[in-house]
Amino acid sequence: MPLTAQQIAEKSSEALGAHDAASQALGLRVTHIAPGQANVTMQITEHMLNGHGICHGGLIFTLADTAFAHACNSYNQRVVAQTCSVSFLAPGQLGDHLTATARELHRAGRSGIYDIEVTRATGEVIAQFRGHSRSIKGQHFEESQP
């Protein structure tokens, strides 16, 4: 029996996450996955603060980029970022529980466009991220033939 789109998204996310040492080291967690969608969370710890005492922007970018990766890789096709941009709207603070919510805007051929919103637990948006994806050769897992 062929896998459903949701099952493919789940298996793709599991395979991607199993080899993502950077996300594992930062304690990032995928809390939702569906075709073209992903939510990833991160708790800001002391080791994530920059010289201003706020969350390092590179780590907020990493959180958003990870949600982007899971969303665009949810079709069992290997996909990488082609270009990304981020706008920081408010600083992340020590102890904040952040969620990056990725959603697919457009996907055709080998390219896609995804918007990712990073919020703190209060719902306040602290960053907006847009990623353009490009598929490459390969799949995350071998799909069985009917």
Side-chain angles (χ1 to χ4, degrees):
M1 177 174 213
L3 297 174
T4 66
Q6 181 61 32
Q7 290 170 323
I8 291 170
E10 291 169 3
K11 286 186 69 142
S12 297
S13 179
E14 288 171 15
L16 185 66
H19 302 287
D20 188 348
S23 293
Q24 292 170 18
L26 290 170
L28 304 186
R29 256 184 18 151
V30 177
T31 58
H32 169 74
I33 188 71
Q37 302 174 23
N39 291 5
V40 178
T41 62
M42 177 178 82
Q43 184 84 30
I44 299 177
T45 66
E46 288 180 9
H47 294 90
M48 297 176 173
L49 302 181
N50 65 17
H52 298 291
I54 58 176
C55 186
H56 193 292
L59 296 173
I60 293 171
F61 184 99
T62 300
L63 172 64
D65 185 49
T66 301
F68 168 46
H70 283 270
C72 66
N73 278 275
S74 62
Y75 300 101
N76 196 25
Q77 173 66 48
R78 293 182 63 207
V79 180
V80 295
Q82 182 171 325
T83 185
C84 303
S85 64
V86 66
S87 296
F88 298 107
L89 309 176
Q93 302 291 343
L94 177 63
D96 277 350
H97 182 80
L98 303 181
T99 300
T101 302
R103 64 185 177 88
E104 182 178 272
L105 297 179
H106 178 76
R107 180 173 165 260
R110 294 181 56 207
S111 300
I113 300 173
Y114 295 77
D115 275 348
I116 297 85
E117 188 172 80
V118 179
T119 58
R120 61 175 105 243
T122 62
E124 179 186 3
V125 178
I126 69 162
Q128 292 281 351
F129 177 108
R130 175 162 281 183
H132 293 246
S133 67
R134 187 76 170 168
S135 64
I136 59 175
K137 290 181 182 177
Q139 295 180 302
H140 296 287
F141 62 93
E142 187 174 327
E143 293 183 53
S144 59
Q145 299 298 319

